[in-house]
Amino acid sequence: MQTSAGLDELDRLLVTALQAAPRADWRRIGRALEVDASTAARRWARLTETGLAWLSCHPAAGPGLAPVVAFIEIDCAPPLLRDVAARVAADPHVFTVEHVTGSRDLLVTAAFADQAGLARYLGFRLGALEGVRATRSQIATALHVEGSHWRLDRLAEHRRTLLMDPVPADRAPAGPAARAPDPADLALFTALSEDCRLPAAQLAERTGLSPTTVRRRLARMQSERALVFRCEVARFLSGWPVSVTLWCAAPPGDVPAVSAQLAGMRETRLCASLSGPHNLMVAVWLRSIEDIRTFETRLAARFPELLVADRAIALWPLKLGGHILDPHGRHVRAVPVALWEDAEAAAAEEALLAPFREGGVAGAGA
C-alpha cells in the first residue's frame, strides 16, 4: 500500500524500526517487519541511494563532553542568504540550519565547548562573514527532547520486542559510572559518524582496535547513552512536511511540567529551555500549514499558562542533524560532527587581548 506520496507501508515501518534499533542486523529487522533480511536490506539501500532516508550518529553530552547548545538567529543581506547558509552549514559543530519565515532569515542550532567558544563564533566567524547583517543567540539551559526520539510511525508491541537486543552479561560495561571519552572512544565516534551500521570487524579496521574491544566499548557507550543515533527521512515524504519553531513563555515554576508534556507530544521534535525572555523553544513537524493554527489552539487549551510569543516556518531545512539536505529535504552529504575550532579566530581574539595582557589599554581609567 502506497502512503505519503512515495513511501509505502513497509518503507515507513523500516525507517521506524531503524529509528528504534539503528544497529540491528537485517535478520532481526526482517523478523520484526515479517519480511526476509534481503528484502529489508534492499529496501534500505534504495532509500539511502535516492537520499530519501539516512542514518547518523554523534556523541551525546556526558562526563568530559558537556557542550553548550545554542540557537542562533541570523539576518542576511538578501543576495547573499544562500551563500551564508551554505558556509554556516559546512561548520562541523552546526547541527541544524533552516531558512525560515519571520523576523530572522536563518535559524541555526550549534554546539560549543563553552560560552567563550560561542562568543568567538559569533564575533569572529559570523561577524566576519560577508552577508551577515546581525545575529541573536540564546543558550539551551536544558534539552528536554531532541530529534533522535521522534518516530515516523508506530510499531506494534510484538515488533518492538523482536527489535530488542539485550546486551549479554559478558559484554556489559563494568564500572558504575560514565567517564570522559578517551582517544579510542573518539575514534569510534568518528567511524560511526561515517556509517553507524558498520559491523564490529569493519569498525576495528578503521580504528585500529580489536573487534572484541570495539564490541565492549560500543556496549559500554550505548549503556551510558553516550551515543545518539538518528534515522531520518526526507520531510516531503514523511507525512509531516511542515516544520515550525515556536518561542514560548511559561511561568518559571511551570516549566518542568509543561516541558515534560510538550516533549511527549506526537508532533514535537525538539523542546528546550532557553536563557532568554521566551524560556521555551518547541520545534514541531505538522501535516499541513493549516495545522499550525490547530496545533496552537490545542496548546492553548492544554497549557493556558503558556504564551506563544513568536513562530517561524522552515522554508528549506538546509542541514538537519549534521547532514546537508536539498530544498525538498533529500539527503545530499554528511558533515562529520566536531566542536568548532578556528585558528584564525583564536589568533584574532588573542590580538584583541594583547593590550590587556601588556598592562591595560591606553586612556582607560576609573
Side-chain angles (χ1 to χ4, degrees), residues 98 104 107 138 243-249 262 265 267-268 270-272 274 278-286 291-293 295-297 299-300 306-313:
E98 292 181 311
R104 75 285 298 162
L107 180 59
Q138 294 191 60
S243 176
V244 184
T245 300
L246 305 173
W247 285 263
C248 306
L262 285 170
M265 295 180 73
E267 300 88 347
T268 302
L270 178 142
C271 181
L274 299 182
H278 306 140
N279 55 6
L280 278 174
M281 172 184 277
V282 186
V284 295
W285 281 16
L286 302 174
D291 280 348
I292 298 174
R293 180 179 58 82
F295 182 77
E296 290 194 25
T297 300
L299 286 185
L306 185 70
L307 169 67
V308 176
D310 199 1
R311 63 195 56 75
I313 302 170

Side-chain angles (χ1 to χ4, degrees), residues 11-35:
D11 290 332
R12 292 175 63 85
L13 289 174
L14 175 59
V15 169
T16 308
L18 286 167
Q19 288 175 330
R23 284 186 54 80
D25 62 63
W26 292 121
R27 250 185 234 138
R28 186 148 43 101
I29 290 173
R31 282 198 302 271
L33 303 186
E34 300 174 2
V35 299

Side-chain angles (χ1 to χ4, degrees), residues 52-77:
L52 299 181
W54 60 96
L55 277 158
S56 63
C57 177
H58 62 81
L65 193 67
V68 171
V69 176
F71 301 102
I72 305 170
E73 301 174 34
I74 304 177
D75 300 341
C76 302

